[in-house]
């Protein structure tokens, strides 16, 4: 295991008997990558696809090698989801991997190789490719766990009545995240399925079981994503009903206040009129009787709204 | 039939002529399970899948055995749905079953074996596997019955006008439950279908009819789940219209009260003005005429709202 | 044609040259049905499926007979939809039919047999089975006609402004009905398709044309059901907009009343103040001028709302 | 070319060398049609399907002829969509066509035959059938153009703020129309596809290109229908938001009026009280100061609502 | 490379050894196109399809040539999307291309040919067709980028609270745009897929890799369109919740104003009554006490609404 400064240093490994894993970080050294591609006799379109980081996950089978593109997903420090392209070229006795930036997703794999632990050291390049893909797919689980947590937070927020515009904005952002994750993960299912199903001489039968295992993981991740998607879509509905319920509550307060005091004010207004002849005005106990009437009216109103369950 | 303390006690059964059913409860004794796996020559990925309880239902065919993972569903004492993983290894003359915790879903099967009743005792391991799977699938019916009851309760609650925020929360939870049940049951259809369709030497032709029967049950359960799903999604719509209807009712009360008393109060206000020269004030019957006008206005308002069907 | 008291009476027919149709009403005489099953050498699962009335429509092919389960649909006297299970066993020279209760859907078939009319009498058991299935499928048309009528009634009700909670409840019930009808009819398509497509020796090529005809009818019924389903789902939307329109109308009345009279009341209130020095109070024509101002205000308000199309 | 009164007159043409096209208008002369069917040796189910006008588009292949059912669509004088059944029987040297009523969709075809123009005259019955089907499919374009116009009219109406209940009713009717058009056109795709794909000796290879062209047209029509369908479904949403926006506007007017005048009325009410000792009442400039306060309050309220963008 | 005035000038190229690319701009010179079609022995339906600009993307395989129709998309100067038809005829040593109007999408290709750069000059007609199609597909990316920008603008507008009717109109227009783009791009996937999968002698195996690359691009564009579609559909929901939130805010202002001042006005009304005997009126400090009561009421109301989080 070495860190190479120059691509050409690696050329010696091509015809060695052991399996060589060449990991290239950073895709802007186009010239170097083209040199490497020439050395390994890669098709020009492969080089183009490695460098163009907006590929969708795919597999292309060439005569002497397999070309696999997939997406690594992680949340960055701003809690934004990042989708980074990783390409693999699987040859008979080598695996080339190309990453956008130096990540740590392959660290565990490196450790296992260094320690000679597990089956990694003894097996062929197809098994190494499996180990690398598996490391990426395992990472998807942590991404969807974060998604799941976010959804639950929103649910809790909405249930506890926080209905500001931010929520609708955040839900929209979450939808966007889920759509991006789907876009990165869903096509990969077909890629792995084709590896598992096809009869490619580069993949040994004994390794197929492991690819099937990765495929099962992907199906599981996909199903979870679809469930989260439904949950978040229905969250919007729930948010809508919560808003409506809030409005209902506001309207009730208004209606109760207005319905109680507007009639009473009217009655007070009657006896504020300046007609010369209003018989009640002269009567000594009018004022007290009126208070009595008003209190009765007030209480019966309260009862009425109580019975309607508005209070 | 014995309860074994140590896995190794069971090894003697491997080459016996009769069918052996080994049921392992609790998946944290990883070492024991690995020992067992070694004895029965299971693939390392199988052991991994048995122990990792977040598998989705699947079937893996190996040379000498079939590996089946499925989910047992039941409501716990808190009325929360629990999804527990059960794995089966079907060999030529043995069935291994692995449960997360000691359940009672297999009790009926045990009883039938003890009593030597039914076809269980005479038949091969593939029939025993069918009986065990059937026991789990039959249990799904009781789960979806509970779901059905819950939905009907919500419908009744909404119809009778209970529109608090709890309902929207409960509906959201119910959606989540249905999505979990779907996730546990739907992939199983394909598993059983593959058992039925494939030409595996471990499954005898005469047993296929029984697997087809389980498959039919699963399709039926799935269809019911999808129906419940549509019902609950439309429940949300219904809840929304109920809220809107409530608000309409509130608004009508407010509008009627305000529309009737605001004009009357205005009239009273007119004659409460202190202008020195207001002819009506001196007229002796003004007050009574005004009352007459107000009563007429009041009644015609009532008629107006009656005709609009707001009352 | 006889009405038999005892199943065993029928056993003589088994080996007769002519086609025998045995119709069993009521499925609680399990013992009798089992006896019959034994006589006709039916698989135990077939007997189980006949007696268990919650089967979904399906077809099972056995060596000497075909087993078909389907659902008869009708509206009972309470206008509730009833789904009743009918099972058929088609043998070489016999058709067994099992109904939950004595219905009249086969009466027309019986009449045609009695009168020796049509092709029924001359043809084989596969044609008889077609005639019986066709009778059930023809009945579906009347069920979906009732559904269609119900939907149109709701549309008319909503259009004419009846927006009470009952409508949302009734729509929910109608959805449930449509889901039940779908559940009963849709799987039958596959059943008939398999009869038509498969190469079963019990079905003669000349009869296939007739099964294809039934299949076409089923497709047509299914398409209609899906159309009704969309109509009723969109009915809910329409109901929602109608509620909102109603609320808009209510709000407009409130707003117009309040916007007109609140300012006027304010003006009246001004001159009801008891300040010692309010110059307008002494002026002789103040009262009449004020009335003039109020009338102008009132009319210009009306114009304003007229221009906004609120009146 | 003749107009025949009696079906039997046509029988002579059956064995002629040239291609015969027999167009039957009106399907209630069942006896005549049955006579014709006998003469051309049609299957009884074909006769039944010709006469029963509620068939869905389909193709049935018989040994000596092809039977095709499709739907002709047009808007009648009341702007209601009419779906009329047209059946074709394609034999070796004849085409029978059956229409519900005498239409003019085939007039153009007749003209081309009369004038001996185009390829119609020289070619075989399969090409004639293509020409007839093509005439019907071409007519679909004018139907979906009308649909498109209707949708745009509704959009314009909703955008310009016409939100009465009629719109929701009209949208519902439009949905119904689209569903009917779908029902008539979509199954036809499969019919034409089967003509094109199957290896029927009645259709010559050179004609297949033309059927593929019809198929392309159908796909295009179908795609447009689906687009219109989405547009109209989303029209309902748009309608809903427009209603809500209207209500918002109404509420704002109410809130502004009430928020401005209710506090002012309160202030006026204060100084309308009859307490013996209210110091302000005696002060000479109180009235004018109060007016000042009220104007300031009024203006600051206006500013407040202006800042909230409610004005 | 020449600009030809007359179609016939081109006929000499037909049998040349080198690859000829003939680009025809403007489709109203039908006679010329028919002459060309005759010269290249094109099927009459091909000529018809070239001239009829409302084709959907498709591929027709004829014996000596391939006919491909696709849509070029761009935004015109009014920011409206334009879908222009481009047809290709691929022969053994020629490519004919037909555009509605002179565009500049092929300029880059022309440049590459002129400069003899890249693989264009050396390779066969099938590679030239790839280059031309690729130029069109690459242009789709800029179209969907514009769509993406528009959606984000709407999101920002809605989030910042701009809720006028224009937004709903613009969203509707955007939906229409997306549906049009889908309609132009989605069928092309199948076209390219058929080129790649089929075994047409006009396409050499070495070129297939390039067509697969175009196919990958199309899939990617399609996925993005579907994502944008979901985003915009959910934008409507978000818009709806924003409107509702606004209304809630309006209602709260109204309710707070009314709830505070209506009771206070009532109290003032009480002491504006003209009863002869109201004990409080004579009491010297009544007025000040009343003010105190009102202030307390006012403040406790504010507290109440504060606690309800309406303020």
């Amino acid at each position: 295991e070495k860190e190479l400064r120059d691509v050409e240093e690696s050329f010696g490994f091509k015809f060695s008997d052991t399996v060589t894993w060449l990991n290239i970080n950073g895709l802007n050294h186009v010239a170097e990558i083209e040199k490497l591609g020439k050395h390994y006799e890669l098709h020009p379109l492969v080089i183009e696809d490695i460098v163009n980081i907006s590929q969708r996950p795919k597999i292309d089978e060439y005569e002497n090698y397999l070309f696999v593109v997939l997406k690594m997903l992680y949340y960055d420090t701003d809690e934004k989801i990042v989708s980074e392209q990783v390409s693999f070229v699987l040859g008979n006795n080598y695996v080339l991997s190309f990453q956008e930036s130096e990540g740590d997703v392959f660290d565990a794999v490196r450790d296992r190789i260094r320690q000679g632990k597990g089956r990694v050291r003894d097996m062929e390049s197809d098994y190494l490719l499996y180990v690398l893909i598996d490391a990426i797919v395992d990472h998807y689980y942590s991404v969807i766990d974060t998604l799941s947590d976010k959804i639950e937070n929103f649910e809790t927020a909405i249930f506890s009545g926080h209905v500001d515009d931010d929520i609708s904005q955040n839900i929209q952002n979450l939808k966007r995240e889920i759509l991006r994750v789907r876009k990165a993960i869903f096509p990969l299912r077909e890629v792995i399925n084709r590896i598992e199903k096809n009869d490619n001489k580069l993949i040994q039968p004994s390794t197929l079981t492991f690819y099937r295992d990765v495929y099962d993981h992907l199906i599981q991740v996909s199903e979870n994503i679809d469930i989260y998607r439904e949950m978040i879509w229905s969250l919007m509905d729930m948010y809508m009903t919560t808003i409506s319920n809030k409005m209902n509550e506001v309207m009730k307060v208004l209606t109760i206040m207005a319905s109680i005091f507007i009639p009473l004010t009217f009655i007070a207004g009657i006896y504020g009129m300046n007609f010369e002849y209003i018989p009640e005005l002269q009567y000594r106990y009018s004022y007290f009787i009126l208070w009595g009437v008003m209190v009765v009216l007030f209480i019966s109103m309260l009862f009425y709204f109580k019975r309607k369950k508005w209070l």
Side-chain angles (χ1 to χ4, degrees), chain A:
Chain A
E1 184 185 0
K2 316 186 210 169
E3 191 156 326
L4 304 175
R5 290 274 144 235
D6 191 346
V7 179
E8 287 166 31
E9 293 184 36
S10 71
F11 292 175
F13 298 119
K14 196 185 166 186
F15 302 103
S16 78
D17 278 355
T18 57
V19 175
T20 311
W21 170 27
L22 218 69
N23 183 33
I24 290 89
N25 287 319
L27 301 177
N28 21 25
H29 309 295
V30 182
E32 304 280 293
I33 292 171
E34 278 180 353
K35 219 183 285 172
L36 192 73
K38 222 164 193 172
H39 180 69
Y40 282 96
E41 292 165 1
L42 304 181
H43 193 280
L45 281 174
V46 168
I47 302 297
E48 216 174 83
D49 287 350
I50 288 170
V51 176
N52 172 2
I53 61 167
S54 63
Q55 295 298 315
R56 68 190 286 271
K58 67 168 182 176
I59 180 170
D60 285 344
E61 291 173 68
Y62 291 90
E63 210 170 337
N64 295 312
Y65 56 91
L66 266 180
F67 176 57
V68 177
V69 181
L70 41 76
K71 297 285 181 181
M72 199 160 73
L73 294 175
Y74 56 88
Y75 278 96
D76 65 7
T77 46
D78 300 341
E79 281 301 292
K80 282 208 177 128
I81 206 153
V82 176
S83 166
E84 207 173 87
Q85 179 162 321
V86 182
S87 320
F88 294 107
V89 177
L90 168 69
N92 198 25
N93 60 347
Y94 63 88
V95 174
L96 313 180
S97 62
F98 302 84
Q99 292 182 73
E100 284 182 49
S101 63
E102 196 160 355
D104 44 36
V105 72
F106 293 150
D107 282 356
V109 181
R110 272 191 209 96
D111 284 354
R112 281 166 66 191
I113 296 177
R114 276 182 206 122
Q115 297 164 20
K117 214 171 64 181
R119 279 155 296 199
V120 179
R121 217 150 193 150
D122 313 328
M123 287 183 83
E124 303 298 324
S125 57
D126 57 343
Y127 185 77
L128 176 60
L129 179 65
Y130 151 72
V131 170
L132 294 170
I133 291 178
D134 194 46
I136 290 170
V137 170
D138 270 358
H139 207 73
Y140 291 163
Y141 281 97
S142 81
V143 168
I144 63 170
D145 281 353
T146 310
L147 278 176
S148 168
D149 289 351
K150 283 190 176 185
I151 292 172
E152 282 191 21
N153 286 345
F154 282 128
E155 278 187 14
T156 315
I158 292 175
F159 285 152
S160 64
H162 292 284
V163 288
D164 38 22
D165 278 359
D166 279 7
I167 279 190
S168 118
Q169 187 163 0
N170 287 331
I171 290 177
Q172 185 78 349
N173 287 339
L174 200 50
K175 281 185 185 173
R176 194 187 290 275
E177 266 180 26
I178 282 183
L179 291 174
R180 288 190 67 188
V181 171
R182 267 170 68 93
K183 193 179 150 191
I185 294 179
F186 276 47
L188 188 55
R189 294 183 305 187
E190 204 201 339
V191 171
I192 304 298
N193 195 29
R194 266 175 64 187
I195 293 181
E196 193 214 324
K197 287 283 177 312
N198 282 17
D199 197 32
N200 195 300
K201 67 184 183 346
L202 286 165
I203 311 283
Q204 300 168 32
S206 65
T207 326
L208 286 182
T209 308
F210 295 99
Y211 281 101
R212 196 171 53 198
D213 197 57
V214 172
Y215 182 69
D216 284 340
H217 289 173
L218 275 172
I219 294 288
Q220 200 175 16
V221 170
S222 307
E223 282 180 353
N224 280 326
I225 290 172
D226 277 342
I227 286 180
Y228 298 152
R229 196 158 152 258
E230 276 203 53
M231 291 314 289
I232 202 154
W233 251 256
S234 99
L235 212 61
M236 204 72 191
D237 282 0
M238 209 173 65
Y239 179 47
M240 197 71 205
T241 62
T242 310
I243 295 176
S244 292
N245 266 333
K246 289 258 157 189
M247 198 181 303
N248 243 342
E249 204 192 337
V250 173
M251 294 303 304
K252 276 181 194 167
V253 170
L254 173 61
T255 302
I256 289 167
M257 292 307 270
S259 300
I260 287 176
F261 287 104
I262 286 179
L264 296 183
T265 304
F266 161 68
I267 292 172
I270 286 289
Y271 294 105
M273 292 192 296
N274 298 318
F275 288 116
E276 290 205 340
Y277 187 68
I278 303 185
E280 298 95 316
L281 294 183
Q282 276 77 38
Y283 185 54
R284 194 179 168 90
Y285 302 108
S286 293
Y287 178 62
F288 306 102
I289 290 168
L290 200 79
W291 262 119
V293 168
M294 282 174 169
V295 168
V296 167
L297 242 151
F298 182 86
I299 289 171
S300 54
M301 279 307 222
L302 286 187
F303 263 100
Y304 173 74
F305 291 123
K306 196 89 188 172
R307 227 193 49 212
K308 269 185 174 290
K309 303 223 167 126
W310 291 8
L311 279 171

